[in-house]
Amino acid sequence: MGEFNEKTTCGTVCLKYLLFTFNCCFWLAGLAVMAVGIWTLALKSDYISLLASGTYLATAYILVVAGIVVMVTGVLGCCATFKERRNLLRLYFILLLIIFLLEIIAGVLAYVYYQQLNAELKENLKDTMTRRYHQPGHEGVTSAVDKLQQEFHCCGSNNSQDWQDSEWIRSGEAGGRVVPDSCCKTVVAGCGKRDHASNIYRVEGGCISKLETFIQEHLRIIGAVGIGIACVQIFGMIFTCCLYKSLKLEHY
């Protein structure tokens, strides 16, 4: 019986240190997950107003929430491990499972939206740009369109001719412009009055192809982070179950 207890105790100690190491890595991973979510929301959200679906935004929020819960859970996991409290281990396992599901959801949403993105942009981007640009109450769209055209050196959804359908251009409020000034290679007030190739950006595929590539790159990052961390958590759940079982054996 003494030999059995000694072996069990040795196994418990090993499991405790394995779980502690996992928790340290897990806490850092939570920080990384939260950072990716915040980075997407704070620095890369300028173009969200141009998207018809809220899926891109939802995946970023899920990662932020998951990252915060991961960091809190990591601390709980350390306490549960070294205090050898089985009730804390149960709570820790449940939180791991919730985070696991959240990150799987974020990864799946990113993948599904990745597949749908091209169709959504083709259906909605031109309408958004021509109907909302420089219209009251749509200042966010105006800013996003100007930034999109300048940052990606493009003009119009498919090409510069799209701007002929713009409510702003046709209303006369554009001051004689045929395209927004943000289409110009060198932006000065009124430069959009001339749509010659020497003056404005004329990119094959227009802004759709540029925006699609940009968002797809970020969806790949979000999906990879979500799925990657979720897979790592499987080991944490296994270690937790083993430690829980080991403590139960020692108790008897």
Side-chain angles (χ1 to χ4, degrees):
M1 181 66 71
E3 183 181 353
F4 174 77
N5 286 336
E6 184 179 341
K7 287 181 178 178
T8 306
T9 302
C10 181
T12 302
V13 171
C14 291
L15 284 170
K16 283 172 63 176
Y17 281 102
L18 276 174
L19 197 53
F20 176 75
T21 303
F22 169 80
N23 278 317
C24 291
C25 297
F26 190 50
W27 192 90
L28 292 174
L31 185 62
V33 168
M34 186 174 65
V36 169
I38 292 174
W39 169 69
T40 302
L41 292 172
L43 301 178
K44 304 297 178 180
S45 62
D46 303 285
Y47 307 125
I48 288 175
S49 60
L50 302 179
L51 302 175
S53 169
T55 307
Y56 181 64
L57 188 62
T59 55
Y61 275 122
I62 288 173
L63 285 186
V64 172
V65 172
I68 293 171
V69 177
V70 162
M71 294 176 72
V72 173
T73 303
V75 175
L76 175 63
C78 289
C79 294
T81 300
F82 284 100
K83 289 189 175 182
E84 299 185 1
R85 298 279 297 276
R86 295 178 65 220
N87 58 337
L88 287 180
L89 283 173
R90 283 196 297 268
L91 178 59
Y92 177 59
F93 180 86
I94 292 170
L95 288 175
L96 281 180
L97 185 60
I98 291 171
I99 298 164
F100 175 81
L101 294 174
L102 279 175
E103 288 169 343
I104 289 293
I105 290 170
V108 169
L109 282 177
Y111 176 78
V112 170
Y113 191 54
Y114 184 94
Q115 305 300 316
Q116 298 174 345
L117 183 61
N118 182 267
E120 179 185 316
L121 290 177
K122 284 182 178 178
E123 290 176 8
N124 298 292
L125 186 59
K126 180 181 176 181
D127 184 68
T128 299
M129 292 174 75
T130 56
R131 291 179 179 274
R132 299 182 185 178
Y133 185 79
H134 259 297
Q135 298 302 304
H138 295 294
E139 291 76 13
V141 171
T142 302
S143 175
V145 169
D146 285 337
K147 183 172 182 178
L148 174 67
Q149 295 189 141
Q150 273 296 294
E151 188 171 323
F152 294 119
H153 298 171
C154 58
C155 183
S157 176
N158 299 289
N159 53 60
S160 60
Q161 298 303 308
D162 289 340
W163 287 109
Q164 293 179 1
D165 299 324
S166 167
E167 293 185 7
W168 176 63
I169 296 291
R170 293 194 298 187
S171 69
E173 296 178 3
R177 294 175 179 82
V178 289
V179 294
D181 291 343
S182 56
C183 282
C184 300
K185 295 177 180 178
T186 302
V187 178
V188 293
C191 65
K193 294 178 180 178
R194 193 168 69 93
D195 61 353
H196 192 270
S198 63
N199 182 50
I200 68 170
Y201 294 112
R202 288 192 172 180
V203 182
E204 185 177 349
C207 292
I208 280 182
S209 60
K210 297 285 189 176
L211 183 57
E212 180 183 9
T213 300
F214 170 82
I215 294 177
Q216 283 182 337
E217 287 174 354
H218 289 85
L219 286 174
R220 280 196 290 268
I221 294 173
I222 290 172
V225 168
I227 299 295
I229 300 301
C231 290
V232 171
Q233 284 175 234
I234 293 174
F235 293 100
M237 288 189 280
I238 292 172
F239 294 152
T240 303
C241 289
C242 291
L243 180 58
Y244 184 88
K245 185 177 178 181
S246 177
L247 291 175
K248 183 178 181 180
L249 287 172
E250 286 189 3
H251 180 72
Y252 288 113

